[in-house]
Amino acid sequence: MPVAGVGCFCLATAISIFSCLADPEVVRWCNTLFDVVGLQSKSARLWILNAPNLWHVILYGFLAFGLMLMLPNRSFLAGSLAMAFGTVLEAVQWFVPTRSVNLTDLLYNLLGIWAAWLVFNQVTVSATRTAPEIPNPEPKPNPTSKSEWPNGDR
């Protein structure tokens, strides 16, 4: 799934950039994004900006779901990769003076990854249940001698 791969890469890049920005910079970027999409409601803007843990759940959920689409038979590995990515970014914040390490961020990341795993497994189980069953035709004999052919000739 190349589209899922590109989407995961873009999302991972966005998460990486935002995790290293100072909080006022994140707010400035978000307000610019709100202007671009036309979100004018002040209360909606404040609610979105004041719910960073919700964004951990959403972003890491999408990241994990995209990785699961890329690795459909290895959903645990995909979730582990998303969690490792979040752990590394949290560790990097230790060295960024305008950021701080917060273990609750990792818990919210894990919550988003777990939710993605539940959705992914539900979608894949539903898809396998509703897939049409392909009949398996009986193999036709392969005649090797003239006597096995009708009328005795080939």
Side-chain angles (χ1 to χ4, degrees), residues 15 55-64 82 85-86 89 109 112-113:
I15 293 170
W55 288 107
H56 279 268
V57 174
I58 292 170
L59 291 174
Y60 279 90
F62 278 117
L63 176 63
F85 180 72
L89 286 182
N109 295 353
I113 293 164

Side-chain angles (χ1 to χ4, degrees), residues 89-95 99-106:
L89 286 182
E90 202 62 35
V92 166
Q93 290 181 12
W94 182 270
F95 302 102
R99 303 296 291 186
S100 62
V101 177
N102 191 345
L103 294 180
T104 57
D105 289 352
L106 290 176

Side-chain angles (χ1 to χ4, degrees), residues 43-108:
S43 60
R45 286 179 179 226
L46 286 174
W47 183 81
I48 291 169
L49 290 173
N50 290 324
N53 294 331
L54 174 67
W55 288 107
H56 279 268
V57 174
I58 292 170
L59 291 174
Y60 279 90
F62 278 117
L63 176 63
F65 192 79
L67 288 170
M68 288 174 198
L69 288 174
M70 290 174 53
L71 304 166
N73 296 326
R74 295 183 172 91
S75 59
F76 183 78
L77 174 63
S80 298
L81 288 172
M83 191 63 199
F85 180 72
T87 304
V88 167
L89 286 182
E90 202 62 35
V92 166
Q93 290 181 12
W94 182 270
F95 302 102
V96 178
T98 58
R99 303 296 291 186
S100 62
V101 177
N102 191 345
L103 294 180
T104 57
D105 289 352
L106 290 176
L107 293 175
Y108 282 104

Side-chain angles (χ1 to χ4, degrees), residues 6-151:
V6 171
C8 284
F9 178 76
C10 292
L11 187 57
T13 303
I15 293 170
S16 300
I17 291 169
F18 280 108
S19 69
C20 295
L21 290 176
D23 287 339
E25 281 296 308
V26 173
V27 170
R28 188 177 66 79
W29 276 84
C30 289
N31 281 324
T32 302
L33 179 64
F34 297 154
D35 292 339
V36 168
V37 298
L39 180 64
Q40 299 300 322
S41 170
K42 295 274 186 202
S43 60
R45 286 179 179 226
L46 286 174
W47 183 81
I48 291 169
L49 290 173
N50 290 324
N53 294 331
L54 174 67
W55 288 107
H56 279 268
V57 174
I58 292 170
L59 291 174
Y60 279 90
F62 278 117
L63 176 63
F65 192 79
L67 288 170
M68 288 174 198
L69 288 174
M70 290 174 53
L71 304 166
N73 296 326
R74 295 183 172 91
S75 59
F76 183 78
L77 174 63
S80 298
L81 288 172
M83 191 63 199
F85 180 72
T87 304
V88 167
L89 286 182
E90 202 62 35
V92 166
Q93 290 181 12
W94 182 270
F95 302 102
V96 178
T98 58
R99 303 296 291 186
S100 62
V101 177
N102 191 345
L103 294 180
T104 57
D105 289 352
L106 290 176
L107 293 175
Y108 282 104
N109 295 353
L110 185 60
L111 181 63
I113 293 164
W114 179 71
W117 182 80
L118 287 176
V119 170
F120 179 79
N121 284 321
Q122 184 62 36
V123 168
T124 55
V125 166
S126 297
T128 56
R129 281 190 198 148
T130 59
E133 195 170 316
I134 300 171
N136 188 8
E138 292 186 30
K140 296 181 181 179
N142 186 9
T144 56
S145 68
K146 248 186 170 181
S147 63
E148 294 178 21
W149 284 87
N151 300 332

